[in-house]
Amino acid sequence: LFCSEALAVSVLQQLNPLAPHKLRALINRYINWALEAPGAGPLNAMRSVYSYPFPVVIELIRNLFLHYPYELFWGWIRPPGLDNAHVPIIERFMKFQEDALPGLSGFRFRYPTAGANEGIREAFTKLKRDGKTQIYILQGEYEGYEEVALAHGIRVIKVDPNQDPAELPAGWWFISNPSARDGNIIPNEFIRKICDAGHHVYYDLAYLGLTDFHAFDLTHPNIDGVFVSLSKSFGIFGIRAGFMFSRERVDGLTGNVWFRSDPALQVADAILHGIRDPQHLTRLYRPFQTAVVADLNRLHGLNLRPSDVVLLAYQKVSDVVGDRQAKVLSRFDRAGVGRLTLTRYFLEMESWKSLVRIAIFLGLISPRWRIILPRAA
Ligand SMILES: Cc1ncc(COP(=O)(O)O)c(C=O)c1O
């Protein structure tokens, strides 16, 4: 409904002055548009992963800001006090994802951060200060690691996932899991093998909460730090809410106990209170993802599969048949896997179009109105 507000206003504006031929043309246009399959038209998937502003989350934020607890501005003189205001919220997050994150409580240093990015940046600051000159990532990983590494003068080595980590000199890895490479979950054994070979891992959970249940094992002592973000998990990219968990102090984040964004933390808290089940969003949107992937395959001749992450779909480049598929997928290629973000289709499904479809389904509007309306003079 919220998405359709702007559209409804534009429709009303177009209807004035109300000429029958205009009305007819408009109704035709909207009915045709609503009857289109979600994946019709040019391929509207995106290469980058943009979070989806889940309406159920937006509603929680709307309520928070309608009744914003302004007394929190006095938080520095009232318990839990300036230094600790974030603590109950981080603990709420830990409780919320307790089953999915075995070992998280073993990370003694916990910081509120502006998304995962701030934690990643400060992990690099620490590595640089400790004299590290290079890190490892898997081929096709999240581009952000390389950007931040570049800014710190640290070299990035991209590793083939089939390479035996024991053959590489021990070093520091940045791994996103669920993986930014294809939106799928990397098995725990894969990361354990890297740690057992003497490497250290920074574990990025940016897509946590967007898959079916999985326990991401964080117990290995060589997992040095964990990044959590609410940007994608709850579709609140611009709010900049997240946490970093570390076994050692991260000096670059020490000041975050004061220099944090309390409104961002309040949003996080409202979401953790409002969405009580960590699998809720995945369950809600999995059927959307399946429907969109089926339509895209039919309309664009692809062999996409729904990723574990509900916002994404993927296809191995080695599974490509024919030039047409190869051309379409090349735009999305990340080291041999085409990864597509479906966010725009979600938006479309949840918009005015869906309402028209439901109205047609319920018999409130007939697609045949196109025929029975008077012809333009
Ligand atoms: C795997 C991964 N990690 C971290 C980030 C950083 O996002 P944020 O700082 O909003 O959490 C992104 C954003 O695209 C990402 O895909």
Side-chain angles (χ1 to χ4, degrees), residues 80-93 110-113 242-243 253-262 265-266 269:
L82 179 64
D83 294 9
N84 293 317
H86 56 284
V87 173
I89 300 170
I90 295 185
E91 281 171 359
R92 197 170 338 281
F93 167 80
R110 301 161 188 175
Y111 305 95
T113 54
F243 310 114
L253 294 177
T254 305
N256 279 29
V257 302
W258 312 296
F259 310 131
R260 57 176 187 238
S261 164
D262 279 344
L265 279 166
Q266 287 312 312
D269 205 32

Side-chain angles (χ1 to χ4, degrees), residues 47-49 117 120 124 135 137-138 140-150 156 158 176 180-181 204 207 232 331-335 339:
R47 185 181 153 79
S48 305
V49 181
N117 180 63
I120 294 169
F124 271 101
I135 57 125
I137 62 171
L138 293 172
E141 257 289 10
Y142 167 53
E143 299 78 351
Y145 305 136
E146 207 171 351
E147 290 297 323
V148 183
L150 201 69
V156 173
K158 297 179 184 170
S176 61
R181 295 169 309 144
D204 183 352
Y207 300 96
K232 297 195 176 60
R331 188 154 66 91
F332 302 95
D333 188 3
R334 312 172 63 82
R339 185 199 69 183

Side-chain angles (χ1 to χ4, degrees), residues 344-363:
R344 284 194 186 129
Y345 294 110
F346 280 34
L347 205 57
E348 200 176 274
M349 284 236 208
E350 225 147 18
S351 71
W352 178 248
K353 182 180 252 193
S354 310
L355 291 185
V356 177
R357 279 202 197 144
I358 292 167
I360 291 172
F361 177 72
L362 294 175

